[in-house]
Amino acid sequence: MEIPLSEKMRPETLDDFIGQNHIMGQSAVLQKAIKEDKIFPMILWGPPGCGKTSLANIIANKTRSEFIQISAVLSNVKEIRSVIENAKKQLFNFRKKTIFFVDEIHRFSKSQQDAFLKHVENGLITLIGATTQNPSYEIIPALLSRCRVFTFNSHSKTDIIKILNRAISDKVNGLGRLNLEFDSDALSYIIKTSDGDVRTALNSLELAAFYINKQCEYKEDKKRVTLADIEEMLQKKMLLYDKSGEEHYNLISAFHKSLRGSDPDAAIYWIARMLLAGEDPLYIARRMVRFASEDIGLADNNALSVALNALEAFRFLGYPEGEGALVQAAVYLATAPKSNAIYTAYKKVVKIVDNTGTLPVPHHIRNASTKLMENLGYGKGYKYAHNYKGAYVPQDYLPEKIQSHEFYKPSDRGYEKIIKQRLDAWKALKKSIKKYSS
């Protein structure tokens, strides 16, 4: 498989790294730590394509420690434990430390973060986490307190033009061998549409280069790339299509309804129409993530993961390879069993909360953390489910005023059929006990 230009052009040394001068200047703590190979636990926080993974790549090349990299999107607790075991062997056998780089660390659950917390505390591993989300909300406090947070900014126009020119001239990893010459307004357009994301800018540059090279395959002199060429490739201006106009909403509506209607052929057609028209692929991916919860829910547990993985796959691959991941996800969602039970249940709950306000928590399920609370009846009469057969015991959990309400009604499709059977059995047990008690 062809490696994307954005991967080929990743900097390998500190001298190659462009941008983020506020944290990567000559006298900065981070640059000094990398040069002296004295890496400490840290979180790299910033928008996509700002250099977080590239910096980790430089650390990997520079350090004498064992460097292990994983993606939180694709990893689980078992893999984390494997990393920990390997770190122990490196330390015991070779007196070698381990640097553990976790990309998209905000995707790790609390239990996954807990799995390596104590090993960060005792120094077995040096954690480097990269995230696009605010670490204050996504990283558990105990782990965050042991890491230094470095905030990355979107790349400036000056930074991106340097990176693009390097990619154009590089004859080993870049586009130098293609003998291309980009007009300044063509590069400016690429920069404008990348919105500070270097990965997006490089993917756009590569797409344009591929197109022009094919058009001029037998031309030996310098091939000129104009603004019109870039617009044709990145926008694909089509009749009756405007990203902010009616046809934009018509096409995404057609795509969404085709998925809901379980028609994979129509789904592929509409996603192709949008991609060829220049729609933002990440917008399409986000809509599929929403669809997975809104129209499939628990009827297929894998739907949400498939949609999220397609989103990350496109971010990693870019154009044109990443389009296949989006189409794959669209076909999966279209052919998955459908249920809007989760979506409907939440809407019902929101309506009830609006109508009834903040109803008090029943005393038996309150937390009796002090003697006073215990004396007031907090936790009195609570039945611990694991002490009963099947880890279930009939008990009221809703406020008294709305105990008769039923919000979630699973369908009889996919996995929700199993959930429905389980809930029906519990309801029958609860009903029989209440009847016996009365």
Side-chain angles (χ1 to χ4, degrees):
M1 182 181 70
E2 180 68 19
I3 300 173
L5 180 64
S6 56
E7 287 299 311
K8 290 180 181 178
M9 297 308 299
R10 281 201 187 280
E12 296 185 356
T13 67
L14 285 171
D15 291 337
D16 293 333
F17 190 86
I18 295 174
Q20 311 304 335
N21 292 331
H22 61 294
I23 56 174
M24 289 299 293
Q26 289 295 326
S27 59
V29 172
L30 186 52
Q31 176 153 167
K32 186 177 180 182
I34 296 171
K35 283 182 175 179
E36 296 179 1
D37 196 14
K38 294 180 179 178
I39 305 301
F40 46 82
M42 67 184 80
I43 301 294
L44 310 179
W45 170 34
C50 66
K52 302 184 297 295
T53 305
S54 292
L55 184 62
N57 187 58
I58 291 171
I59 293 173
N61 293 334
K62 183 76 176 174
T63 185
R64 291 183 295 274
S65 300
E66 178 81 354
F67 189 92
I68 298 177
Q69 175 176 345
I70 67 170
S71 169
V73 178
L74 305 174
S75 303
N76 52 37
V77 173
K78 184 179 179 181
E79 289 183 67
I80 296 171
R81 288 175 180 153
S82 176
V83 170
I84 300 304
E85 288 305 311
N86 182 72
K88 290 176 180 177
K89 291 177 183 177
Q90 290 292 327
L91 188 63
F92 181 79
N93 295 330
F94 308 107
R95 309 302 299 170
K96 194 175 185 182
K97 294 191 298 183
T98 294
I99 296 175
F100 184 29
F101 174 62
V102 183
D103 200 10
E104 302 289 345
I105 192 171
H106 60 274
R107 291 292 183 82
F108 269 157
S109 65
K110 183 179 182 297
S111 61
Q112 288 172 306
Q113 293 182 40
D114 279 335
F116 55 79
L117 170 60
K118 68 177 181 179
H119 303 293
V120 174
E121 290 176 332
N122 63 26
L124 177 65
I125 61 172
T126 301
L127 174 69
I128 301 177
T131 177
T132 57
Q133 306 298 315
N134 190 327
S136 299
Y137 304 127
E138 306 295 340
I139 312 297
I140 59 174
L143 186 59
L144 187 61
S145 67
R146 287 157 179 81
C147 299
R148 180 161 179 177
V149 177
F150 291 97
T151 305
F152 283 58
N153 300 323
S154 294
H155 279 290
S156 67
K157 180 179 178 179
T158 303
D159 290 339
I160 298 180
I161 197 69
K162 288 179 183 177
I163 294 169
L164 293 185
N165 282 328
R166 186 170 67 184
I168 292 168
S169 61
D170 191 324
K171 293 185 178 182
V172 178
N173 296 314
L175 306 174
R177 65 189 185 282
L178 300 181
N179 204 28
L180 298 172
E181 182 178 358
F182 284 77
D183 285 356
S184 59
D185 55 354
L187 289 179
S188 293
Y189 187 83
I190 289 176
I191 293 169
K192 179 182 176 182
T193 55
S194 70
D195 195 25
D197 184 333
V198 167
R199 188 185 299 111
T200 297
L202 286 170
N203 287 337
S204 298
L205 186 77
E206 183 175 33
L207 182 66
F210 175 81
Y211 170 72
I212 294 299
N213 194 52
K214 278 292 181 184
Q215 294 289 90
C216 311
E217 197 164 359
Y218 303 105
K219 190 176 179 181
E220 294 184 2
D221 56 333
K222 226 170 183 64
K223 306 157 195 171
R224 184 179 167 211
V225 185
T226 67
L227 174 61
D229 295 325
I230 298 297
E231 287 183 331
E232 183 176 357
M233 282 308 303
L234 301 186
Q235 283 188 310
K236 289 279 188 172
K237 294 178 179 175
M238 293 179 70
L239 186 63
L240 291 177
Y241 191 86
D242 177 359
K243 286 186 184 181
S244 59
E246 180 185 351
E247 196 64 10
H248 160 82
Y249 296 104
N250 287 340
L251 289 182
I252 196 65
S253 176
F255 176 59
H256 197 119
K257 289 179 173 65
S258 298
L259 294 178
R260 184 182 291 147
S262 301
D263 189 332
D265 295 321
I268 296 172
Y269 173 79
W270 292 119
I271 197 173
R273 279 281 301 273
M274 287 187 287
L275 288 171
L276 293 173
E279 181 58 83
D280 179 4
L282 296 181
Y283 170 74
I284 299 172
R286 287 193 293 269
R287 290 302 297 254
M288 288 198 287
V289 170
R290 178 183 175 184
F291 179 89
S293 290
E294 184 176 317
D295 286 277
I296 296 176
L298 291 175
D300 186 335
N301 286 320
N302 291 321
L304 187 57
S305 295
V306 168
L308 286 169
N309 286 340
L311 175 66
E312 289 306 317
F314 188 88
R315 279 180 176 163
F316 178 71
L317 292 173
Y319 279 113
E321 291 91 345
E323 294 175 353
L326 299 181
V327 175
Q328 178 182 341
V331 171
Y332 187 96
L333 298 180
T335 54
K338 307 298 187 297
S339 170
N340 69 344
I342 295 291
Y343 176 71
T344 303
Y346 183 68
K347 286 179 68 177
K348 288 178 182 176
V349 171
V350 169
K351 188 175 181 180
I352 283 289
V353 172
D354 285 341
N355 292 336
T356 61
T358 53
L359 297 173
V361 175
H363 276 69
H364 69 286
I365 57 172
R366 292 188 184 188
N367 182 30
S369 56
T370 68
K371 191 66 178 176
L372 174 61
M373 292 176 176
E374 189 177 336
N375 292 338
L376 290 173
Y378 284 31
K380 185 178 180 180
Y382 171 66
K383 300 173 184 176
Y384 185 58
H386 292 287
N387 289 339
Y388 296 84
K389 184 179 179 181
Y392 175 78
V393 57
Q395 190 170 208
D396 292 321
Y397 295 96
L398 283 171
E400 185 176 359
K401 189 175 179 179
I402 59 170
Q403 279 180 3
S404 61
H405 284 73
E406 183 180 329
F407 302 112
Y408 176 54
K409 295 183 179 180
S411 69
D412 57 359
R413 296 179 293 279
Y415 180 69
E416 276 198 328
K417 185 176 182 179
I418 298 173
I419 295 176
K420 187 175 185 300
Q421 293 170 351
R422 195 177 295 154
L423 288 176
D424 287 344
W426 287 338
K427 288 173 190 173
L429 179 60
K430 192 172 185 178
K431 187 176 180 180
S432 66
I433 291 178
K434 280 189 174 182
K435 183 179 179 181
Y436 178 78
S437 299
S438 59

